[in-house]
Amino acid sequence: MDMIKMGAFLQELRKEQGLTQEQLGEKLHISSKTISRWETGTYMPPVEMLQVLSDLYAVSMNELVAGERLTPETLPQAAEKNLAAALQNNTVFQLFERKKYWQEKWLADHRRTIALLVGILCGSILLSISIRRTDLTFAIALVSMGLAVFLRNRRDGYVEHHLYDEMLQ
């Protein structure tokens, strides 16, 4: 898949419609910077945007990805080539690997904070047990579970931001 060719084609189609990058960005609810990245071949539009662009420019998604207008004779070959490239470049395994990378990065960035929180909670539980306050022990255990859920949500938000936002750019 030639992203430079695709980007040049996207630029050509936009200009045929008489739109600036800013106008197209407003229409699609994205930044003109993102449009520029697509048109220079730096990033590929996500599938959802390819569908919108296909409708907007009245061309097929295969034509967008091929970076040229296709005839009925060249469409089947281009479709096969586009499908093979898409499957090769965007496998679920690669997505899983990128997700795992961002999860590990978040953990590495927050390891000290987590260790400090675990130490404080363990110390609090031991203290509450030593003074024989089971109600306090129970409350600390509930706070610990809530904190674990909070940290997991923060990690998932971080991963989602880095994983999916990079795909949309």
Side-chain angles (χ1 to χ4, degrees):
M1 179 177 327
D2 187 345
M3 289 182 48
I4 302 293
K5 185 177 178 183
M6 179 182 169
F9 187 56
L10 287 170
Q11 182 179 34
E12 177 187 324
L13 293 170
R14 176 182 53 78
K15 287 181 177 180
E16 284 177 9
Q17 295 286 320
L19 296 170
T20 65
Q21 289 180 343
E22 290 79 18
Q23 290 168 330
L24 180 59
E26 287 175 17
K27 201 172 215 178
L28 300 177
H29 306 290
I30 57 175
S31 72
S32 60
K33 188 176 182 179
T34 299
I35 302 292
S36 174
R37 288 177 178 161
W38 295 346
E39 292 181 357
T40 59
T42 307
Y43 293 108
M44 181 176 163
V47 174
E48 300 81 24
M49 281 297 162
L50 286 174
Q51 291 172 334
V52 171
L53 292 167
S54 172
D55 292 340
L56 178 69
Y57 297 141
V59 295
S60 71
M61 286 178 55
N62 275 306
E63 289 173 302
L64 291 176
V65 174
E68 62 186 355
R69 296 191 192 275
L70 300 171
T71 64
E73 295 80 30
T74 59
L75 180 62
Q77 295 156 334
E80 289 293 319
K81 185 178 175 183
N82 293 338
L83 180 60
L87 290 174
Q88 183 178 9
N89 294 329
N90 294 312
T91 64
V92 173
F93 180 73
Q94 287 175 332
L95 183 64
F96 175 77
E97 287 298 313
R98 287 198 320 264
K99 181 178 180 181
K100 184 177 174 185
Y101 167 79
W102 288 112
Q103 286 174 338
E104 291 172 356
K105 180 158 178 20
W106 183 89
L107 182 60
D109 291 346
H110 295 85
R111 187 164 279 138
R112 286 186 178 155
T113 303
I114 293 169
L116 178 65
L117 290 172
V118 167
I120 291 170
L121 291 171
C122 287
S124 300
I125 288 175
L126 290 174
L127 179 63
S128 68
I129 291 172
S130 69
I131 61 173
R132 299 177 194 270
R133 293 282 313 267
T134 55
D135 56 338
L136 187 58
T137 306
F138 181 73
I140 294 170
L142 284 177
V143 168
S144 299
M145 287 187 283
L147 190 57
V149 169
F150 172 78
L151 289 173
R152 182 174 179 123
N153 286 341
R154 293 284 302 216
R155 185 202 65 189
D156 290 348
Y158 175 88
V159 169
E160 183 175 316
H161 169 75
H162 285 87
L163 184 63
Y164 297 109
D165 285 357
E166 77 182 14
M167 295 169 78
L168 293 175
Q169 295 180 352

